[in-house]
């Protein structure tokens, strides 16, 4: 079996590139592709099916629990799977002869089959270990059919030196012994598109065989999956939907603490409540990042007349929006100051789009309409398509339930429909634009659809189960083009989030602001732009000299010279070389997400976070804040708790950026680590009662640790 062994420090992965003859591999691929009942779920980006040979088909209590399975396992194996199962068992068991392993006397018998279908080379599987296998001693056999794909393995503790790359060919098999799940991670990364023969572009099917001993009950890994599923169920509402009121965590402060500047930007905002706010007239909707509504609402309250307008986050339960509502007791003429209001809204720094609100409805409304119209009782939201949206919305317009006032008011002209779709639906954004745009064109005969040089841009956004209809007031995304960037880093934070982070830092005139992972310098440029004329100074650092020089060029292009902003090529662990102790008032930074360091040890990022926070404590003024955008928010909060004597956690807010969920974390430096100081005082006093060497006393009392190399 050593002939098939992959070189790792712990020998636990085997690879046979010619496991199946080409004819058998082709037949298996074609049959599985056509006849497998593939399913997909919001958790995963590929098609999946789980099959099980359960000794008692009526008992699902001890069914195999796989974290990404979208539905229940199918009972029984079809002929093709049975044939592959027999071949995998024969291969593995025959290799055990003479090995002295337990499997020589008790051959492996696979009774779980997981199938994954990757339609294109862009479908991937991230770094993971199969947690559900923890507690077992049996191997996993993985057969690859279709396009060749790369299979990566790396150590959990030494990923740079203990790793392997396997090219999974059509008809090949990888076998992972159980210890592989304890010590290693594996993944299937994205790859360039396949060019060549038609059969080379057919996608890939991965057939994975596992073993379950039903007499032993669930493993520790399966129980963990079950616990997590129950936890998710526990935070859902009675209707099964996610809690729309789920918002960022903020530290509780009394009035005196708030007066002393303890408030974090976006603390005191209101969420839409149908029972309290249904009578308010929604004038505008402000589109921002999902999760960042608190920052947008806080900025709105600074620029709007709060006596006349009420700002509400997530109106109608729609995430990513803030409503500007006209108070019902305000009798001012609607057109009196509309231009001034719109001008103020177009200056918002936390927004993407300004929308004039017209209408909204729920996909459940479409579902009910189609069931009543066609009598399709088995119709579900997942099967709704663009044609159904058209039929419902056309009926809504004809019955006067819905109205796009800007189109109705236009005597003649042109319009276009644009859409953003967020969530799991059976239709895409272009279908929404085409079908609902068609309904508008048929109903409003005074206007014509036109893709370019149009007069009105009607936005029809679908967010989860809600559909919003509004007119977009701005031309380009307000978060784009704010700064003249001669150099753009590979990963650049959007200016609306940069502004929110700057505001969370509680910067005052004359403060020194630092970004030790500056990239293109966007955060510092936003700070200088926001606090122009208030004599703040900035220092940016980046380990890449190209980035440091590029950020300097960006600052010069906007007229900010070295007297107000400086850049250094520097590792974030050593930025004390460029900054004096307790000289910085705020550190605001987009910390590395691990995307560019994904090939390294998983704990590298955690180490970097901890060293950064330890080092930052020395150069930060007492009461100074660190505001960080991090992909691994939970990991960072654990480190902050570990350093709780040095920092106070003020706020953690999860936001959506494209297809990621990073967190904005705000901490404040404590003036002194009281616990550490107390221990040092006790050690000093009790030292007179012991007889130890000076070296031992120095090590214990002065804690000889190099904090830059943790």
């Amino acid at each position: 079996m050593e002939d098939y062994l992959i070189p790792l420090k712990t020998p636990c992965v085997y690879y046979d590139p010619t496991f199946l003859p080409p004819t058998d591999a082709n037949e298996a691929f074609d049959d599985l592709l056509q006849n497998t009942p593939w399913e997909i779920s919001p958790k995963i980006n590929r098609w999946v099916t789980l099959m099980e040979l359960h000794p008692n088909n009526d008992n699902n209590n001890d069914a195999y629990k796989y974290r990404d399975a979208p539905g229940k396992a199918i009972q029984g194996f079809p002929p093709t799977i049975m044939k592959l199962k027999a071949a995998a068992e024969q291969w593995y068991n025959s290799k055990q002869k003479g090995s002295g392993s337990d499997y020589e006397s008790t051959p492996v018998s696979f009774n779980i089959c997981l199938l994954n279908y990757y339609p294109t080379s862009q479908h991937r599987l991230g770094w993971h270990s199969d947690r559900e296998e923890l507690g077992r001693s049996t191997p996993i056999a993985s057969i690859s059919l279709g396009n060749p794909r790369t299979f990566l393995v790396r150590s959990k503790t030494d990923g740079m030196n203990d790793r392997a790359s396997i090219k999974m060919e059509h008809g090949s098999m990888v076998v992972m012994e159980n210890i592989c799940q304890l010590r290693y991670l594996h993944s299937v990364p994205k790859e360039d598109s396949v060019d060549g023969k038609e059969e080379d572009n057919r996608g890939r099917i991965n057939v994975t065989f596992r073993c379950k001993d039903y007499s032993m009950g669930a493993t520790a890994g399966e129980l963990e999956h079950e616990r997590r599923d129950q936890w998710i169920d526990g935070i859902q509402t009675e209707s099964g939907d996610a809690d729309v009121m789920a918002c960022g965590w903020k530290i509780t402060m009394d009035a005196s603490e708030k007066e002393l500047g303890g408030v974090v930007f976006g603390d005191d905002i209101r969420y839409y409540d149908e029972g309290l706010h249904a009578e308010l007239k929604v004038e505008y909707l402000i589109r921002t990042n999902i999760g960042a509504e608190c920052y947008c609402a806080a900025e709105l309250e600074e620029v709007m007349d709060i006596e006349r307008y009420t700002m509400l986050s997530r109106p109608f339960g729609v995430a990513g929006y803030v409503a500007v509502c006209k108070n019902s007791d305000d009798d001012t003429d609607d057109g009196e100051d509309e231009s001034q209001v719109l001008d103020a809204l177009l200056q918002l720094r936390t927004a993407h789009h300004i929308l004039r609100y017209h209408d909204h409805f729920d996909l459940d409304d479409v579902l009910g309409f189609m069931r009543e119209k066609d009598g399709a009782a088995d119709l579900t939201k997942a099967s709704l398509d663009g044609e159904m949206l058209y039929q419902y919305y056309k009926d809504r317009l004809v019955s006067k339930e819905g109205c796009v006032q800007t189109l109705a008011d236009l005597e003649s002209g042109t319009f276009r429909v644009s859409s953003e779709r967020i969530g799991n639906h059976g239709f895409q954004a272009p279908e929404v634009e085409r079908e609902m745009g068609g309904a508008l064109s048929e109903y409003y005969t005074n206007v014509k659809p036109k893709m370019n040089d149009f007069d009105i841009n009607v936005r029809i956004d679908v967010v989860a189960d809600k559909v919003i209809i509004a007119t977009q007031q701005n031309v380009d995304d307000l978060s784009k083009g704010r700064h003249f960037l001669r150099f753009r880093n590979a990963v650049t934070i959007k200016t609306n989030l940069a502004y929110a982070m700057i505001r969370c830092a509680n910067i005052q005139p004359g403060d020194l602001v630092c970004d030790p992972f500056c990239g293109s310098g966007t955060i510092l440029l936003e700070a200088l732009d926001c606090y122009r004329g208030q004599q703040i100074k900035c220092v940016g650092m980046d380990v890449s000299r190209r980035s440091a020089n590029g950020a300097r060029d960006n600052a010069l292009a906007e007229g900010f010279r070295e007297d107000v902003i400086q850049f250094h090529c520097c590792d974030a662990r050593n930025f004390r070389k460029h900054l004096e102790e307790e000289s910085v008032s705020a550190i605001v930074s987009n910390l590395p997400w691990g995307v560019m360091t994904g090939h390294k040890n998983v704990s590298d990022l955690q180490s970097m976070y901890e060293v950064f926070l330890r080092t930052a404590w020395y150069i930060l003024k007492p009461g100074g804040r660190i505001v960080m955008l991090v992909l691994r928010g939970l990991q960072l909060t654990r480190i902050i708790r570990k350093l709780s004597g040095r920092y106070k956690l003020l706020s953690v807010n999860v936001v959506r950026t494209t297809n990621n969920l990073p967190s904005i974390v705000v901490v404040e430096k404590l003036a002194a680590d009281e616990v550490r100081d107390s221990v040092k005082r006790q050690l000093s006093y009790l030292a007179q009662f012991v007889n130890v060497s000076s070296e031992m006393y120095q090590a214990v009392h002065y804690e000889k640790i190099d904090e830059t190399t943790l």
Side-chain angles (χ1 to χ4, degrees):
M1 196 165 182
E2 286 74 13
D3 295 342
Y4 301 96
L5 197 62
I6 297 300
L8 295 168
K9 290 185 179 180
T10 300
C12 58
V13 179
Y14 305 90
Y15 176 57
D16 184 351
T18 58
F19 169 69
L20 290 177
T23 302
D24 291 353
N26 289 334
E27 290 178 356
F29 179 89
D30 293 339
D31 180 63
L32 293 176
L33 182 63
Q34 296 298 323
N35 300 316
T36 301
W38 300 105
E39 297 182 66
I40 198 167
S41 79
K43 294 182 182 179
I44 52 180
N45 66 344
R46 61 197 184 282
W47 297 91
V48 174
T49 293
L50 182 65
M51 298 179 179
E52 186 170 14
L53 290 178
H54 197 292
N56 181 1
N57 292 344
D58 296 329
N59 181 11
N60 289 320
N61 292 331
D62 58 353
Y64 188 81
K65 297 175 178 64
Y66 175 64
R67 64 176 180 173
D68 286 343
K72 292 182 179 179
I74 297 171
Q75 296 300 322
F77 287 176
T80 296
I81 298 298
M82 288 297 291
K83 184 177 178 181
L84 295 176
K85 160 184 153 68
E89 290 171 349
Q90 193 278 332
W91 187 96
Y92 185 80
N93 293 327
S94 67
K95 301 295 188 291
Q96 300 301 317
K97 293 179 180 180
S99 66
S101 72
D102 294 338
Y103 303 123
E104 188 174 6
S105 57
T106 308
V108 162
S109 178
F110 296 117
N111 53 10
I112 304 293
C113 181
L114 175 69
L115 294 96
N116 289 277
Y117 174 49
Y118 303 81
T120 73
S121 57
Q122 294 300 298
H123 290 80
R124 66 181 184 87
L125 186 62
W127 288 107
H128 71 286
S129 59
D130 296 331
R131 187 186 293 112
E132 58 274 359
E133 292 297 306
L134 299 181
R136 304 188 210 280
S137 58
T138 48
I140 294 176
S142 180
I143 302 169
S144 187
L145 304 170
N147 282 353
R149 290 294 295 272
T150 302
F151 182 76
L152 302 177
V153 185
R154 75 179 186 200
S155 168
K156 292 182 179 181
T157 57
D158 189 17
M160 285 295 292
N161 301 310
D162 191 8
R163 60 189 296 115
S165 176
I166 306 166
K167 195 69 173 180
M168 293 283 285
E169 300 289 347
H170 179 48
S172 64
M173 181 172 71
V174 163
V175 175
M176 294 182 284
E177 299 286 10
N178 185 262
I179 195 173
C180 181
Q181 311 308 323
L182 295 173
R183 299 187 180 179
Y184 291 89
L185 301 169
H186 53 275
S187 75
V188 179
K190 289 183 181 180
E191 296 189 39
D192 294 335
S193 299
V194 178
D195 295 319
K197 300 178 182 178
E198 183 178 348
E199 58 266 28
D200 291 335
N201 295 285
R202 54 188 171 177
R204 172 182 179 254
I205 295 176
N206 178 237
V207 184
T208 304
F209 288 107
R210 302 151 189 249
C211 305
K212 179 176 175 66
D213 185 349
Y214 291 96
S215 64
M216 299 297 291
T219 67
E222 287 183 298
L223 291 174
E224 175 65 13
H225 288 321
E226 186 174 7
R227 183 191 69 79
R228 293 190 178 198
D229 289 343
Q230 291 174 348
W231 180 82
I232 291 295
D233 292 339
I235 64 172
Q236 291 180 332
T237 62
E238 291 182 1
S239 64
D241 298 324
D243 183 4
V244 298
M245 296 297 289
C247 54
W249 177 88
K250 312 284 184 182
I251 193 172
T252 302
M253 297 183 184
D254 57 31
S256 61
E257 289 177 306
K258 290 184 177 182
E259 287 181 5
L260 293 174
V263 175
V264 177
F265 184 65
D267 264 359
D268 301 319
I269 54 104
R270 284 174 287 182
Y271 285 85
Y272 179 84
D273 185 320
E274 189 170 358
L276 297 174
H277 305 126
E279 298 301 320
L280 289 176
K281 180 183 178 183
V282 179
E283 296 277 345
Y284 291 96
L285 293 176
I286 314 303
R287 182 79 175 89
T288 186
N289 294 69
I290 293 177
E293 304 95 347
C294 58
Y295 309 123
C296 188
E299 187 185 9
L300 276 167
E301 292 192 347
E302 293 176 346
V303 301
M304 298 295 291
D305 183 353
I306 59 175
E307 298 295 328
R308 297 184 55 204
Y309 294 95
T310 298
M311 272 55 72
L312 297 173
S313 294
R314 299 180 186 172
F316 325 117
V318 187
Y321 290 83
V322 180
V324 178
C325 306
K326 193 77 168 291
N327 294 338
S328 56
D329 57 352
D330 184 74
D331 56 1
T332 308
D333 180 14
D334 288 343
E336 184 177 319
D337 62 345
E338 185 174 345
S339 62
Q340 290 89 336
V341 170
L342 184 57
D343 286 344
L345 295 178
L346 290 172
Q347 300 304 313
L348 291 174
R349 289 180 172 268
T350 53
H352 289 301
H353 300 290
I354 311 300
L355 310 175
R356 186 65 186 258
Y357 168 76
H358 298 304
D359 188 19
H360 77 278
F361 59 85
D362 197 290
L363 290 181
D364 282 327
D365 300 332
V366 184
L367 195 60
F369 173 81
M370 295 306 301
R371 284 174 176 170
E372 183 178 346
K373 182 175 183 291
D374 297 338
D378 58 345
L379 189 66
T380 64
K381 277 190 283 191
S383 56
L384 291 177
D385 58 23
E387 172 64 22
M388 296 175 187
L389 290 175
Y390 161 79
Q391 293 185 42
Y392 171 78
Y393 192 53
K394 182 67 179 292
D395 181 80
R396 188 176 180 87
L397 291 170
V398 171
S399 64
K400 306 298 184 183
E401 287 186 66
C403 175
V404 180
Q405 196 61 48
T406 52
L407 295 183
D409 293 342
L410 196 64
E411 292 185 5
S412 64
T414 58
F415 78 99
R416 71 162 289 183
V417 173
S418 58
S419 174
E420 182 175 4
R421 184 192 62 83
I422 301 174
N424 189 30
H425 306 100
F427 51 83
Q428 302 296 323
E431 289 182 76
V432 178
E433 297 172 354
R434 181 177 64 252
E435 299 296 343
M436 293 187 68
L440 288 171
S441 179
E442 291 173 10
Y443 183 74
Y444 293 105
T445 57
N446 55 310
V447 291
K448 302 293 183 183
K450 189 179 182 183
M451 295 303 295
N452 299 307
D453 297 325
F454 44 84
D455 298 316
I456 292 175
N457 182 9
V458 178
R459 282 288 295 262
I460 303 180
D461 291 344
V462 185
V463 182
D465 293 339
K466 306 291 184 180
V467 181
I468 295 287
I469 298 96
T471 300
Q472 184 171 307
Q473 303 297 301
N474 56 300
V475 177
D476 298 316
D477 188 330
L478 298 179
S479 68
K480 294 181 178 179
R482 194 138 69 200
H483 301 291
F484 181 71
L485 298 183
R486 290 182 173 175
F487 165 80
R488 186 176 294 275
N489 205 35
V491 180
T492 301
I493 187 174
K494 288 286 186 69
T495 54
N496 66 315
L497 290 183
Y499 173 81
M501 293 171 66
I502 289 294
R503 292 298 307 274
C504 288
N506 197 25
I507 296 170
Q508 302 298 318
D511 281 351
L512 176 61
V513 182
C514 175
D515 181 358
F517 303 93
C518 68
S520 305
T522 303
I523 290 176
L524 297 182
L525 293 178
E526 190 71 12
L528 290 170
D529 200 21
C530 294
Y531 294 91
R532 195 181 293 268
Q534 298 190 33
Q535 288 79 47
I536 72 164
K537 294 187 178 182
C538 298
V539 175
M541 302 174 187
D542 201 285
V543 70
S544 163
R545 187 170 298 279
R546 179 172 174 268
S547 294
N549 291 339
R552 183 182 295 109
D553 291 342
N554 290 339
L556 289 172
E558 294 205 8
F560 300 120
R561 304 194 176 278
E562 289 195 356
D563 57 332
V564 295
I565 186 167
Q566 296 180 0
F567 292 94
H568 305 282
C569 179
C570 173
D571 191 307
R573 292 170 293 188
N574 299 316
F575 62 79
R576 291 172 66 184
K577 294 179 179 179
H578 298 279
L579 295 165
E580 298 179 2
E581 292 196 3
E582 299 190 353
S583 63
V584 175
S585 302
I587 297 175
V588 187
S589 190
N590 178 13
L591 270 62
W593 287 15
V595 175
M596 303 302 291
T597 58
H599 64 287
K600 294 186 178 180
N601 180 355
V602 177
S603 62
D604 281 356
L605 208 56
Q606 179 171 330
S607 258
M608 188 270 293
Y609 285 167
E610 185 170 344
V611 171
F612 160 68
L613 286 169
R614 286 181 180 273
T615 307
W617 188 83
Y618 292 100
I619 60 101
L620 200 61
K621 292 180 179 179
R625 291 183 181 179
I626 305 179
V627 183
M628 300 159 279
L629 181 68
V630 292
L631 183 60
R632 295 176 175 146
L634 284 173
Q635 186 181 53
L636 185 67
T637 55
R638 285 197 296 269
I639 297 170
I640 292 168
R641 291 189 186 102
K642 180 179 178 181
L643 302 174
S644 58
R646 299 188 175 192
Y647 295 105
K648 178 168 64 175
L649 185 59
L650 299 182
S651 168
V652 183
N653 191 37
V654 180
V655 298
R656 178 185 182 270
T657 60
T658 311
N659 203 31
N660 283 304
L661 296 174
S663 299
I664 295 178
V665 183
V666 184
V667 300
E668 184 175 283
K669 175 185 173 178
L670 298 174
D673 188 339
E674 295 181 359
V675 175
R676 183 183 180 192
D677 290 346
S678 173
V679 173
K680 287 173 70 69
R681 284 196 301 271
Q682 294 175 64
L683 286 171
S684 181
Y685 171 71
L686 294 177
Q688 61 184 313
F689 303 111
V690 297
N691 185 18
V692 297
S693 67
S694 59
E695 291 81 5
M696 177 64 73
Y697 177 79
Q698 294 287 330
V700 171
H701 186 70
Y702 290 108
E703 195 181 359
K704 290 293 185 181
I705 298 175
D706 183 359
E707 294 189 339
T708 64
T709 58
L710 282 176

